[in-house]
Amino acid sequence: MDALVQKIISDSDDEFSKNIIVFQENYGNRTVFEELNNDQLREKLWETLFRYLSDNSQSLHYNCLSTLRILSRDKTKLNELITDERLGIILNNAALRDININLRTYSNVNIEALKLLCNLIFNSIKVQELLPKTHCLPCLIDRIRKYNEKIPYEIILFDTRIIFLITALNISTRQIVKTELNGDECFIKMLKNICIQCEQDKLYFIKEDNAILVCEILKALFNLYINSDNTTGEKSKNLVSILNKLLLFKSKKDNDLQSNIANLLTVMPYNCYSEIISPTKEKHKQVFQNMDMSAVFVLLKFLDRRLNCKDDLIGNLSPIVTAFIRMVKAERLIRKYTRLQILPPLKDVMHRPEEGTTLRAKLCKLLTSPLIELRDLVAEFLFILCKENVTRMVKYTGYGNAAGMFANKGLLGPNKKIQPAYSSESEDSETEEYLKHKEQINPVTGCFEHPKPNPLEGMSEEQKEYEALQLIGLVDKLTREGVVQPCRIGDDGKPKPIEHVLELQEELPKQQYNHRDSDSD
């Protein structure tokens, strides 16, 4: 590489053109260029490339930008290599330096400059800080606002990606793009146009290129809305209604689309979630109380797939579970429909709640996950589906699985209740199978258990007392050695450590669990 770079630095124009093409062919897939650390080759190469870019003749601009795009993957000295002047040259080639210049046609030079800019934003803190001080963002939003069918797809894609990257890596730009430039309106309009195009084609299928673009738009919108307040009105409702449509379209990028939609739903205002469902007179499986729940059903299927993931459980599950928590909190019909899909009336009482492949089983498994953040999210989701009713939560998940959440919320005491704002509408969901075995269901495990022999049967009162004292002694020993920490339930409904095991006996009358089994919704 050293010899080739030396040639590029010192050769004539003709040889320079040939050699940078050779460089691209040989090193186009590289991300690190350690060889350039010697003899200031990196600095000299960048200087040479920008010298040609400064030339008004554009014959070499494309190859110079392409070479810089490859080099910009390497973060080494990148902040030092980028100056205000060089950034200005790149923006000029990307047609993003002057808002008054509107190109009628775009070339490969413009596209290559945008690709280079994406790399620089991603890899250089200096570029992240410099860019908002230029006219780049106003030029970008102005161009996006004026898009028409003649604009090349790659221009649209990389314009959008630049907005996503800069708003992700420089938080201060979110306010500029959203509030000062109304960039979110432009992106919502783009999504709407893509939906209209799909509906006009009557295929209800998003082409792969458009699906990739939609994902970039959704990521950009997520950045713009993540720190916004919840007072936005029609604009956000319009966006959620568009997300509803996008969920119903098919695509080869279904998983990516649904993932980005779930992310965006986590930052939508609560008063907008009603738009994810719509009135319908049609009759199909996903109609619930005259509302089309198809989009919610798609999200449930997406949740089911994510629950099968083995890696990065928090990253894969947190967004979709959070989105559902917000939706079921905001909309009663979404909660009722979701509950029927996840916690239908109990029929299988022979297996523990966490056993099996149903949504309920997969979620219950996570209630004892060592990943605290995920465990608490799932517990909150299931608790809301149970209308924050402790008895119902125990019925569907088992007390053992839910005990951690009850402890965190201070719901372990017999008289600890919360007064959630749920409808009082009631319906009986107890099945024949459940009623038949109800008395033999162990509330701790949440499933049927055959009667077990009484271990105290046949013992005299003296033997029982002896065994009880032995047990107390063993527990006391484990406590003193720090192996276990017995607790009682405090006045706040949360576990409180005890000093002596006999304190448990004093608390026993207060902690009798009054079993109530109402399961209305």
Side-chain angles (χ1 to χ4, degrees):
M1 179 188 284
D2 293 17
L4 179 60
V5 172
Q6 289 287 4
K7 286 182 180 180
I8 293 172
I9 293 169
S10 57
D11 278 346
S12 62
D13 289 0
D14 291 340
E15 292 299 315
F16 171 83
S17 178
K18 294 176 183 177
N19 285 325
I20 58 172
I21 292 173
V22 173
F23 182 89
Q24 293 167 28
E25 291 172 349
N26 292 348
Y27 306 108
N29 294 324
R30 291 272 295 270
T31 56
V32 178
F33 301 91
E34 296 174 351
E35 300 92 332
L36 298 181
N37 294 336
N38 303 321
D39 301 325
Q40 292 191 313
L41 285 179
R42 191 184 306 272
E43 291 86 343
K44 292 175 182 177
L45 180 56
W46 276 70
E47 184 179 349
T48 302
L49 292 167
F50 273 100
R51 187 172 71 248
Y52 279 97
L53 279 173
S54 301
D55 187 354
N56 290 330
S57 171
Q58 294 197 1
S59 58
L60 296 173
H61 283 199
Y62 173 79
N63 283 324
C64 287
L65 290 166
S66 184
T67 305
L68 284 167
R69 174 176 56 81
I70 295 167
L71 293 171
S72 63
R73 298 169 187 162
D74 190 339
K75 293 184 179 182
T76 307
K77 294 186 177 181
L78 200 54
N79 289 330
E80 300 170 25
L81 293 166
I82 290 296
T83 62
D84 290 6
E85 181 184 358
R86 289 178 177 178
L87 181 58
I89 292 171
I90 296 168
L91 292 176
N92 192 52
N93 280 279
L96 293 174
R97 196 170 189 180
D98 188 343
I99 198 169
N100 296 314
I101 297 177
N102 292 314
L103 297 182
R104 293 187 177 181
T105 59
Y106 291 88
S107 66
N108 287 338
V109 170
N110 304 128
I111 295 169
E112 204 63 28
L114 289 173
K115 292 179 181 178
L116 168 59
L117 195 54
C118 286
N119 281 0
L120 292 174
I121 294 170
F122 186 73
N123 287 324
S124 169
I125 294 175
K126 186 175 182 180
V127 173
Q128 295 163 18
E129 294 171 349
L130 283 176
L131 206 65
K133 299 174 184 177
T134 69
H135 290 100
C136 177
L137 294 179
C139 287
L140 262 176
I141 299 302
D142 185 66
R143 183 156 80 193
I144 291 171
R145 189 173 283 112
K146 296 175 181 176
Y147 279 162
N148 57 53
E149 63 278 0
K150 295 180 181 179
I151 303 292
Y153 167 80
E154 286 185 303
I155 292 288
I156 299 173
L157 177 65
F158 289 106
D159 279 356
T160 307
R161 187 166 293 170
I162 287 170
I163 294 292
F164 159 64
L165 288 170
I166 193 63
T167 52
L169 299 169
N170 185 339
I171 295 175
S172 66
T173 60
R174 295 173 186 173
Q175 189 74 4
I176 297 171
V177 174
K178 181 176 182 288
T179 306
E180 297 178 20
L181 302 173
N182 292 320
D184 58 332
E185 293 181 1
C186 299
F187 289 129
I188 292 171
K189 184 180 178 182
M190 288 171 67
L191 289 177
K192 185 177 181 180
N193 289 338
I194 291 171
C195 286
I196 291 171
Q197 182 184 337
C198 291
E199 289 172 338
Q200 287 175 345
D201 293 343
K202 295 185 178 179
L203 296 174
Y204 298 96
F205 183 87
I206 304 179
K207 296 175 183 177
E208 189 168 354
D209 283 352
N210 275 342
I212 293 170
L213 175 59
V214 167
C215 287
E216 293 295 326
I217 295 171
L218 294 172
K219 289 189 288 186
L221 283 169
F222 175 84
N223 291 342
L224 298 181
Y225 282 100
I226 189 171
N227 292 324
S228 63
D229 56 40
N230 283 356
T231 59
T232 49
E234 291 305 313
K235 187 162 56 176
S236 295
K237 287 186 176 181
N238 185 31
L239 174 56
V240 175
S241 69
I242 292 170
L243 298 182
N244 183 350
K245 292 180 180 180
L246 288 172
L247 284 167
L248 303 183
F249 294 146
K250 298 294 183 182
S251 169
K252 290 182 179 179
K253 295 282 184 180
D254 271 349
N255 200 58
D256 291 339
L257 272 172
Q258 291 163 16
S259 176
N260 283 295
I261 289 171
N263 288 341
L264 187 51
L265 284 171
T266 64
V267 295
M268 287 291 98
Y270 278 100
N271 62 354
C272 296
Y273 291 117
S274 58
E275 301 300 320
I276 205 73
I277 57 178
S278 55
T280 182
K281 293 182 179 179
E282 296 181 14
K283 299 294 181 183
H284 55 78
K285 288 183 179 180
Q286 275 67 61
V287 173
F288 179 73
Q289 296 189 9
N290 298 320
M291 299 296 285
D292 189 345
M293 296 287 178
S294 297
V296 179
F297 180 75
V298 171
L299 289 171
L300 283 167
K301 299 299 285 184
F302 175 71
L303 170 62
D304 194 25
R305 293 198 303 274
R306 283 296 167 99
L307 285 166
N308 293 328
C309 292
K310 303 298 181 185
D311 303 317
D312 190 19
L313 290 179
I314 292 177
N316 281 314
L317 283 168
S318 290
I320 183 62
V321 175
T322 301
F324 265 110
I325 287 173
R326 293 177 66 84
M327 287 192 294
V328 298
K329 271 186 176 180
E331 284 297 318
R332 181 178 65 90
L333 284 180
I334 296 178
R335 175 179 56 77
K336 288 169 72 74
Y337 174 79
T338 303
R339 186 209 163 196
L340 286 174
Q341 302 301 313
I342 295 177
L343 303 176
L346 274 179
K347 290 186 177 181
D348 180 8
V349 295
M350 297 298 170
H351 297 90
R352 294 191 176 203
E354 66 271 20
E355 293 177 347
T357 58
T358 63
L359 273 170
R360 171 192 171 218
K362 293 175 184 178
L363 289 167
C364 284
K365 284 177 188 175
L366 294 173
L367 291 176
T368 52
S369 168
L371 302 171
I372 296 174
E373 178 186 340
L374 182 59
R375 179 198 69 192
D376 291 348
L377 269 178
V378 170
E380 182 70 12
F381 179 36
L382 291 173
F383 198 42
I384 294 169
L385 292 183
C386 293
K387 292 173 68 173
E388 301 184 46
N389 181 295
V390 172
T391 303
R392 184 181 298 174
M393 184 78 170
V394 170
K395 174 181 174 180
Y396 281 100
T397 69
Y399 189 84
N401 288 327
M405 186 204 69
F406 294 153
N408 290 337
K409 287 181 174 286
L411 296 173
L412 290 176
N415 298 315
K416 291 295 176 180
K417 295 182 181 178
I418 52 179
Q419 299 296 330
Y422 294 109
S423 64
S424 58
E425 184 181 329
S426 177
E427 60 187 37
D428 186 7
S429 66
E430 292 185 352
T431 62
E432 290 183 14
E433 293 88 345
Y434 179 78
L435 290 171
K436 180 180 178 181
H437 300 289
K438 183 176 178 179
E439 298 304 320
Q440 291 172 289
I441 292 175
N442 184 336
V444 175
T445 61
C447 70
F448 171 88
E449 288 186 1
H450 291 284
K452 296 177 181 178
N454 184 353
L456 301 180
E457 190 174 349
M459 286 187 182
S460 65
E461 292 302 317
E462 290 80 5
Q463 286 176 309
K464 291 177 184 178
E465 184 177 348
Y466 173 78
E467 292 296 337
L469 290 172
Q470 287 289 99
L471 181 60
I472 290 172
L474 289 171
V475 173
D476 188 50
K477 181 182 178 183
L478 290 172
T479 302
R480 284 186 279 103
E481 292 177 355
V483 178
V484 296
Q485 177 65 74
C487 294
R488 63 179 180 83
I489 306 303
D491 293 336
D492 59 357
K494 296 182 179 181
K496 302 292 181 185
I498 62 171
E499 294 182 3
H500 194 277
V501 71
L502 289 178
E503 290 182 47
L504 294 175
Q505 185 176 355
E506 298 170 8
E507 291 292 317
L508 193 59
K510 303 178 186 178
Q511 297 181 26
Q512 295 301 315
Y513 185 74
N514 296 322
H515 186 68
R516 297 179 304 278
D517 207 9
S518 170
D519 196 39
S520 63
D521 193 4

